[in-house]
Amino acid sequence: MKTYDKFLDYYDEIVRWMNSSLEDEIEFLEFDAIKNYAPETKNILETACGTWVVAKELIKLWYNYTWLDINPKMLEKAEKNLKNLEKKLVLWDMTNFNFKNKFDLVLCNYNSICHLLSWESWQNFFKNSFENLKKWWLLVFDINTIFEFENITRDFAQFYNFWENTVCLEMFKKWNIYQWLIKIFEKQENWNYNLTEEKVEEISFPISKIKKELLSQGFEMLEIIDYHFWKVTTESERVYFICKKI
Ligand SMILES: C[S@@+](CC[C@H](N)C(=O)[O-])C[C@H]1O[C@@H](n2cnc3c(N)ncnc32)[C@H](O)[C@@H]1O
């Protein structure tokens, strides 16, 4: 079973146009994170960039942009969608990257870090981000909390219709891993449906553990924010970390 290869045909519409407003997300990144804490930011590295959506908006706002993702199909789609914009897309693992030029901002958006399934890989991501940042500049990333994953696991399956095709998303828990089972039903000419199944696995860790690790790796914690309600509580679903390399 594959990961994101087929789902990415539907990913942007489900994630950005149906579940979460891209406009709100860009406003948050632009004003609450970047302008608030590092208004001089120019060179951004977006890790686990996916298909382009965030990059395409931020790049319009005068930033120099470099992307990396581990999935070549994501990068292919990003490349097509970015058309004439300058492209610096790199196929690389976010637990092990090293650029010659250092960045003003390392961004890892939309719970991408939760795709790293061991604590050691989270530690490696922080270490790589630290090494690829200029001193005094920012790492910004968000997580889905354990509370959020537990809620989704208890929820009914989600169905999304695209003309005659349907995408069904369900989450299951296996030990401490949360597993999306994605079923895509696509109508064929003979009125049969073709079913493709994909699996995306995610994990999360307590906010206090993440904060402690970041501090021990040499970051200063500027802010930990609940994306929806600002103040972080035990019921926060999506939480952003804004940290400075010191
Ligand atoms: C939920 S998507 C988010 C994409 C994008 N950041 C956004 O805001 O839409 C997660 C992305 O993480 C990428 N990914 C997963 N593991 C990775 C790794 N080890 N290194 C780099 N990218 C990874 C996937 O290929 C996918 O594009």
Side-chain angles (χ1 to χ4, degrees), residues 97-141:
F97 59 92
N98 187 15
F99 289 87
K100 203 160 77 217
N101 298 322
K102 305 296 170 215
F103 296 92
D104 304 338
L105 172 70
V106 174
L107 174 64
C108 184
N109 197 50
Y110 212 83
N111 62 75
S112 297
I113 191 173
C114 298
H115 294 65
L116 304 176
L117 298 181
S118 67
W119 178 241
E120 195 192 352
S121 51
W122 284 51
Q123 290 173 306
N124 287 337
F125 169 69
F126 298 147
K127 181 167 167 278
N128 280 267
S129 301
F130 190 88
E131 283 165 3
N132 284 272
L133 271 172
K134 292 184 203 149
K135 201 168 180 188
W136 312 121
W137 293 83
L138 301 190
L139 165 65
V140 176
F141 66 95

Side-chain angles (χ1 to χ4, degrees), residues 75-87:
L75 292 182
E76 243 171 61
K77 186 159 182 195
E79 179 114 1
K80 270 193 214 135
N81 286 325
L82 283 161
K83 293 198 181 107
N84 301 328
L85 295 171
E86 194 195 344
K87 297 162 197 151

Side-chain angles (χ1 to χ4, degrees), residues 4 11 16 48-50 69-70 74 93-94 109-110 112 116:
Y4 279 123
Y11 175 88
R16 288 296 170 6
C49 62
D69 199 285
I70 205 167
M74 284 282 187
D93 188 327
M94 65 171 144
N109 197 50
Y110 212 83
S112 297
L116 304 176

